[in-house]
Structures are given as C-alpha cells and as structure tokens.
Amino acid sequence: MEKKQMIYEGKAKQLYTCDRDDVYVMRFKDDATAFNGIKKAQITNKGALNNQISTILFHQLHRHGIKTHYIETLNDREQLCYKVEIFPLEVIVRNIIAGSMAKRLDIEEGTPSSKPIYELCYKNDELGDPLINEDHAMALGFITEVELRTIKETTLAINQLLISLFDRIGITLVDFKIEFGKLPDGTVILADEISPDSCRLWDKITGKKLDKDRFRRDLGNVEDAYQEIFNRLHEVYHD
Ligand code: UDP
C-alpha cells in the first residue's frame, strides 16, 4: 500500500492517505514529548518498538472481540488502519494511583485502587487537556450518551484484558490512555495506539518503570524499557 499525502501530524505519529479511501497509513515516529509538548526529545527506535507493541496488543484485543481500527502492519514503522473520526477524548483507566491523579489529589503514587478508576480528558492542547465528565463531553457537542456508554463499557473490558495480558509477562498495568473513533456507519471502535507511551507499566517483581515515565522523569534507559516490553510480549504473543 503506497502512502500518498500526509493528512495529520501529531506528537508521536503521522497519518497518510493511500490508494484506498476508507483506510489510512499510520506512521510511528521516534519523537517523544511530555508536559503538553514542553519537553521534547528523540528516542532511538521508539517508533518501531511502539508499532510492534501496539500491533501485538491490538491483535490480542481483536481476538477477544474488541473492535479496533487496526488492519495490518505494513513495515517496521507503519500500520494500515480504518479511517475514523476521532473523538477528542483521552479515555484513561487507573488500577493503581500514579501520575496526575496522585499529584492532584495528594495520594501516594503506587496506592492501589479498590476498583478501576475511569477518567475522561478533553483533548485540547490550548486548554491543557482538562479532566471532564460525561455531561461535559455531551455539552461540548461531539458525542452522544449512547456513544459514551459504548466507550466506557469497551474501555473497562479492555482494562481487564490488558491486565491479564500484562500479568502473563510479569508486568503490572498501572494505568493507560486510549482513544476511540467512529466509522462512517457510526460504529465506535478503538483507534490510535497502545504502547509504553500511553500506559504505565511496572515490573511485578522489581517495581521498575518500563514506560514513558522514564522519559518524563529523566530516569534514563528509555529505549531499553520499551525494548523489554516488546521482548516479553513477543515471547508469549507471537501469533
Ligand atoms: N497519557 C497519555 N497521553 C496524555 C496523558 C496521559 O498517553 O496526554 C497516559 C499516561 O501515559 C498514563 C495515563 O494516561 O499512562 C494517565 O496519565 P496521567 O493522567 O497520570 O498524566 P501524566 O502523568 O502523563 O501527566
């Protein structure tokens, strides 16, 4: 599938049109940003690793009945995906309290939650991606109550699947962010990516952080951490 024109460039990925109207090519970059784009760097090989990691995770979710935009992996940095209209929402689940929630509510990072915590943020760089609830999302006018219900149910199911999947490779899924989109026929499906850029992943035995916090917090060895996640996933889930 030949790429044609770049139609979107985000912080970590690009989207291209191609020969087919209903699909696009998603390309993973090595660029890393944090704190709403204030901190920037290149992480060698990150794009290729995230492409492979996300491929494995989307395959596994698909096998368990989750509808996604993923069609196939084209090469080390590119995937073919169905074209969707992305909802401007960051859908977050937390199993262990960390990051912005630990800070905002002054809860010690690492405190387990008795049930998964479901959060929505409005994707808007100018506003700094504010935390919102479902009523706010509807007031913004880009989503219906039924679509929100589908997103919440699907997200909680994805959380359970990802928890077990990572558990098998000795990793605790602390939290993650996913994005959803809408096909032309109105079906709401999982889009974007799932990778160490968008999840907090802690080694079950050592507690070592194997995710983007190594970059955000200057912990070093970022590429090694992403490689470690890929190696462990690849060993168990090479289908
Ligand atoms: N996250 C993300 N993109 C964002 C914000 C958050 O992928 O723009 C992910 C982040 O990697 C973590 C989860 O969502 O796995 C929860 O992030 P949090 O709200 O704690 O924000 P952060 O600490 O990244 O500011």
Side-chain angles (χ1 to χ4, degrees):
M1 189 68 62
E2 275 301 302
K3 295 202 295 289
K4 282 186 177 166
Q5 193 191 348
M6 187 166 77
I7 48 161
Y8 170 82
E9 175 150 28
K11 291 169 190 142
K13 291 184 301 291
Q14 298 165 331
L15 289 181
Y16 293 86
T17 55
C18 59
D19 307 336
R20 273 171 59 182
D21 278 349
D22 60 332
V23 301
Y24 52 59
V25 173
M26 183 163 85
R27 183 177 175 80
F28 289 76
K29 304 192 291 183
D30 284 346
D31 299 10
T33 64
F35 314 116
N36 205 4
I38 292 166
K39 180 168 176 165
K40 286 189 191 145
Q42 291 259 319
I43 298 168
T44 313
N45 225 15
K46 176 174 85 77
L49 286 165
N50 279 356
N51 185 21
Q52 297 181 85
I53 291 168
S54 200
T55 293
I56 294 175
L57 297 175
F58 272 62
H59 257 141
Q60 291 303 317
L61 292 176
H62 177 76
R63 276 194 52 217
H64 289 91
I66 304 292
K67 290 187 198 127
T68 84
H69 74 157
Y70 174 84
I71 303 171
E72 64 173 312
T73 299
L74 299 170
N75 54 51
D76 70 332
R77 287 189 181 257
E78 294 172 350
Q79 296 180 1
L80 196 64
C81 300
Y82 288 110
K83 223 178 245 181
V84 290
E85 192 187 326
I86 293 278
F87 294 106
L89 281 179
E90 296 192 332
V91 182
I92 292 170
V93 178
R94 301 175 189 278
N95 298 305
I96 292 178
I97 290 149
S100 71
M101 178 172 169
K103 203 168 167 194
R104 199 166 55 86
L105 302 179
D106 192 22
I107 300 174
E108 192 183 349
E109 184 157 275
T111 308
S113 173
S114 55
K115 66 190 273 280
I117 297 168
Y118 179 74
E119 271 179 20
L120 297 175
C121 291
Y122 177 36
K123 264 185 84 163
N124 182 314
D125 283 342
E126 273 170 41
L127 299 178
D129 300 339
L131 184 65
I132 58 169
N133 67 23
E134 296 191 341
D135 291 337
H136 295 135
M138 277 186 283
L140 284 160
F142 59 74
I143 196 159
T144 67
E145 195 161 8
V146 173
E147 289 165 344
L148 280 164
R149 197 176 313 135
T150 304
I151 289 178
K152 184 167 182 181
E153 280 168 8
T154 311
T155 299
L156 293 176
I158 291 171
N159 183 42
Q160 291 313 314
L161 292 167
L162 291 179
I163 287 176
S164 348
L165 215 139
F166 280 115
D167 188 65
R168 267 189 76 187
I169 60 160
I171 298 286
T172 302
L173 177 64
V174 174
D175 59 27
F176 63 94
K177 183 269 304 180
I178 49 180
E179 297 187 20
F180 287 85
K182 196 157 58 161
L183 288 169
D185 72 359
T187 312
V188 173
I189 60 173
L190 178 68
D192 195 48
E193 70 176 303
I194 304 180
S195 73
D197 268 7
S198 56
C199 301
R200 284 195 169 90
L201 304 168
W202 294 354
D203 182 272
K204 275 197 183 294
I205 294 170
T206 63
K208 186 175 175 187
K209 296 183 198 317
L210 297 169
D211 56 58
K212 195 171 158 186
D213 272 347
R214 301 206 72 80
F215 167 68
R216 293 188 190 98
R217 302 178 187 188
D218 296 319
L219 300 174
N221 302 103
V222 189
E223 186 193 346
D224 293 349
Y226 283 51
Q227 184 73 54
E228 174 76 26
I229 294 294
F230 170 69
N231 292 348
R232 291 198 206 179
L233 282 171
H234 184 64
E235 210 179 314
V236 177
Y237 304 104
H238 51 275
D239 47 25

